[in-house]
Amino acid sequence: MNDNQMYDAIVIGTGHSGLVAAHYLARAGWSVLMVERRDMVGGTCVTEEIFPGYRGSSVANSSHSLDPRIIADMELERFGLRFTRPELGSLTMFDDGRALAPWPNRERRHAEIARFAHGVADIDGYSGLLRFFASVARTMDISFYDPPPSLATVASRFRTPEEQQAFESVMFGSVAGIIERYLASPELQAFFAGTAVATNFVGPRTPGSGYLLLQRPLWEQSMKRVGTHDENELMMRNAAPLGGIGAITEAMAESNRALGVQILTGVEVAKILVEGHRAVGVALEDGREFRARRVLSNANPKLTLTRMLTPAELGEDVYAQAKRINMKGSSAKVHLALKGTPRFAAASSEEENRLFLATNFRVAPSIDVLQNAYNEAVMGRWTERPTISGIISSALDPSLTPPGCHFVSLSIRGIPYHLASGTWDEQRDDLGKAVIATLEEHVPNLTDVLHDFHVYTPLDLEREFALAEGNGAHGDIVPGQIFDSRPMPGCADHRTPVESLYLCGVGTWPGNFMSGVTGYNASRRMLADARDGRVGSTTTTRSKQ
């Protein structure tokens, strides 16, 4: 069965970037159809009932980077979105039972840093490290709202020997090397290193691992240019959506429906329809076909280019290049259902424990622990002491769970997709138990209040959410996969070699997690191409058929 309507655009996938893009296209008067393989909108930004009666953020946990302009333009509050602002932005826990709480209040934060510092040099070094990355961001002089520059263009802006050294240390050195120049305290080192390796398949001593710490300063600079900047040093302040992360995408979907966007869920795209080297619609697994003047994919770019297109449609050489896009995943998810309230060992009072419950917390004891997790993953193994970051949405919104209970969403790093031995179906529960044992070192009553646990291995994330190899960023955000090489050289600025086919997911520049900026930029590119009478394709040379 086919739909006879001709849409102006079809959007594949209802992750947040696709929802943002659909909004701006519909706002410009386009007819838009969205198709989603799961039974609910949101992609990885969803709130789900993992256990009976327990709801929470199931994959993505945080929305620190969500663009304020997008929130306003989509009128998300009008469509039910409500934020709460926890007093504490994050918590990093160490093996000795202590924890670093970087309070939003500057004076209180400095006192906390002094508690872990090895002398005055560390106190100055903490600020010096932040100034270093801010300086590199300013010299880089790029905007996340503009088309991606080339590496050569960016490098040419670093002119003095000092600037060149800074650029090379971020792009080609390790984050551990940078951090150790400024800080001697293992705890302060771990605080920064844990942020740098989050989501990426790198260790703190991997070349290029410093770039992720540059992502926030670059985003701050980009927002300054458009007047939405809100100083938030390393995301010390946090805004959490009531209802879990899915409350954001649900509000986005309602905003789209109000503009006439049609959203179909529970339907999977089998292929992108191509005629005369131009995308003309999509064919679903159930046999239906939908036609459009343009197609926008919010799906993983590698899957879009190599599973939804044939080598003949994309071009043999370009298809081979797309197959080489690196998608090594390094993440798993563990969810906990608790009958009772967890108690953090680092909390000195009930009031402090309440503040800890409401924030993003992380188990990242040292650079060595982070590096060991990466080393093991490279060998196809997972460490018994994994790196953990988590959130307890029910501490902010008790309606998500039964009274007095909690839902804990844990992101586990350094977990390989490819195992050296055995299978993930065999090792799933063992990973969950190792995570629980590690977290219990910092939450001593965890076993007492634990009701049940659930695990998404990297393979499960691929199966359930179409995250290739479990890579939540649709490709690591590291040198070689940024600027005009994201997702690959010759396939940037949201266009593809297939006319009228565009990309908008976080696998495109600038990535930037849950900001919505890739969807915003893709919609602007499509609208501009339509105004200019362009069919919308890159200039990548196609191989002869």
Side-chain angles (χ1 to χ4, degrees), residues 24-339:
Y24 286 102
L25 296 177
R27 190 163 136 169
W30 287 25
S31 58
V32 181
L33 171 68
M34 302 191 76
V35 289
E36 167 62 46
R37 67 191 292 273
R38 302 189 79 226
D39 291 329
M40 62 191 304
V41 299
T44 60
C45 301
V46 289
T47 301
E48 294 186 276
E49 186 178 63
I50 300 293
F51 314 96
Y54 289 76
R55 300 179 65 244
S57 303
S58 62
V59 184
N61 282 343
S62 303
S63 57
H64 300 296
S65 298
L66 189 58
D67 191 330
R69 177 168 51 180
I70 290 172
I71 295 175
D73 285 350
M74 297 188 74
E75 300 181 277
L76 297 185
E77 291 190 3
R78 174 189 164 200
F79 293 100
L81 181 62
R82 297 291 181 271
F83 283 104
T84 183
R85 299 186 181 277
E87 185 175 338
L88 178 62
S90 69
L91 182 74
T92 301
M93 299 180 285
F94 309 112
D95 286 345
D96 61 4
R98 294 186 299 166
L100 173 63
W103 302 97
N105 177 276
R106 192 174 294 273
E107 290 185 5
R108 191 175 184 184
R109 181 163 74 250
H110 285 178
E112 182 77 350
I113 292 164
R115 190 163 68 92
F116 288 93
H118 286 193
V120 176
D122 265 2
I123 297 175
D124 294 338
Y126 179 93
S127 299
L129 185 59
L130 292 175
R131 287 195 301 270
F132 168 81
F133 279 101
S135 175
V136 173
R138 286 193 299 271
T139 306
M140 205 167 264
D141 191 28
I142 60 177
S143 171
F144 283 179
Y145 297 105
D146 292 338
S150 68
L151 176 62
T153 297
V154 174
S156 70
R157 295 169 183 163
F158 293 79
R159 297 183 176 89
T160 70
E162 183 180 13
E163 288 174 346
Q164 290 174 356
Q165 185 182 54
F167 175 76
E168 290 167 0
S169 64
V170 171
M171 301 298 286
F172 310 118
S174 72
V175 73
I178 298 172
I179 292 171
E180 289 167 351
R181 290 205 304 266
Y182 289 89
L183 297 166
S185 162
E187 293 83 11
L188 294 179
Q189 290 176 353
F191 170 72
F192 284 100
T195 300
V197 302
T199 74
N200 283 339
F201 192 20
V202 297
R205 300 197 184 280
T206 304
S209 55
Y211 175 79
L212 201 58
L213 275 184
L214 193 63
Q215 193 80 351
R216 184 68 195 188
L218 287 173
W219 181 224
E220 297 276 356
Q221 293 292 323
S222 299
M223 288 192 289
K224 280 183 180 179
R225 295 182 183 218
V226 296
T228 61
H229 173 65
D230 182 18
E231 189 68 42
N232 191 5
E233 182 181 287
L234 268 188
M235 298 179 290
M236 301 299 180
R237 286 181 285 106
N238 185 16
L242 293 176
I245 204 75
I248 296 174
T249 49
E250 288 169 6
M252 286 180 170
E254 289 306 308
S255 176
N256 277 328
R257 291 186 179 106
L259 289 176
V261 175
Q262 297 182 47
I263 302 176
L264 297 180
T265 59
V267 294
E268 185 166 2
V269 173
K271 71 184 305 294
I272 294 167
L273 298 174
V274 177
E275 295 175 1
H277 303 309
R278 179 171 185 160
V280 296
V282 298
L284 305 183
E285 291 284 358
D286 63 16
R288 286 182 291 172
E289 293 185 357
F290 296 88
R291 296 266 166 166
R293 295 176 179 86
R294 286 173 172 82
V295 177
L296 175 63
S297 178
N298 186 42
N300 179 291
K302 185 173 184 176
L303 299 184
T304 300
L305 298 174
T306 63
R307 291 194 187 176
M308 298 181 191
L309 297 169
T310 66
E313 292 164 341
L314 187 60
E316 296 282 356
D317 293 343
V318 181
Y319 188 89
Q321 184 185 3
K323 291 284 284 186
R324 292 193 294 269
I325 297 175
N326 189 350
M327 283 294 164
K328 289 182 180 177
S330 62
S331 298
K333 291 290 303 188
V334 175
H335 308 105
L336 308 179
L338 306 183
K339 282 192 172 180

Side-chain angles (χ1 to χ4, degrees), residues 284-449:
L284 305 183
E285 291 284 358
D286 63 16
R288 286 182 291 172
E289 293 185 357
F290 296 88
R291 296 266 166 166
R293 295 176 179 86
R294 286 173 172 82
V295 177
L296 175 63
S297 178
N298 186 42
N300 179 291
K302 185 173 184 176
L303 299 184
T304 300
L305 298 174
T306 63
R307 291 194 187 176
M308 298 181 191
L309 297 169
T310 66
E313 292 164 341
L314 187 60
E316 296 282 356
D317 293 343
V318 181
Y319 188 89
Q321 184 185 3
K323 291 284 284 186
R324 292 193 294 269
I325 297 175
N326 189 350
M327 283 294 164
K328 289 182 180 177
S330 62
S331 298
K333 291 290 303 188
V334 175
H335 308 105
L336 308 179
L338 306 183
K339 282 192 172 180
T341 301
R343 171 77 191 202
F344 288 88
S348 60
S349 65
E350 288 300 323
E351 172 60 16
E352 194 166 70
N353 195 65
R354 183 187 66 79
L355 295 176
F356 289 0
L357 288 170
T359 192
N360 294 276
F361 61 86
R362 181 166 61 200
V363 179
S366 69
I367 282 178
D368 288 342
V369 169
L370 292 167
Q371 185 64 35
N372 182 65
Y374 169 73
N375 292 343
E376 289 294 298
V378 168
M379 301 300 291
R381 302 186 294 259
W382 47 272
T383 175
E384 293 285 342
R385 297 186 64 220
T387 302
I388 301 169
S389 60
I391 192 168
I392 308 174
S393 300
S394 52
L396 299 169
D397 185 353
S399 70
L400 293 171
T401 59
C405 299
H406 286 290
F407 179 100
V408 186
S409 179
L410 304 172
S411 297
I412 318 302
R413 309 303 184 193
I415 307 299
Y417 173 84
H418 299 283
L419 292 171
S421 62
T423 69
W424 269 122
D425 290 331
E426 296 168 341
Q427 298 182 31
R428 182 181 296 108
D429 283 357
D430 290 339
L431 174 61
K433 292 172 184 177
V435 169
I436 291 168
T438 299
L439 186 57
E440 191 165 29
E441 295 176 12
H442 307 277
V443 183
N445 73 329
L446 185 59
T447 297
D448 295 336
V449 298

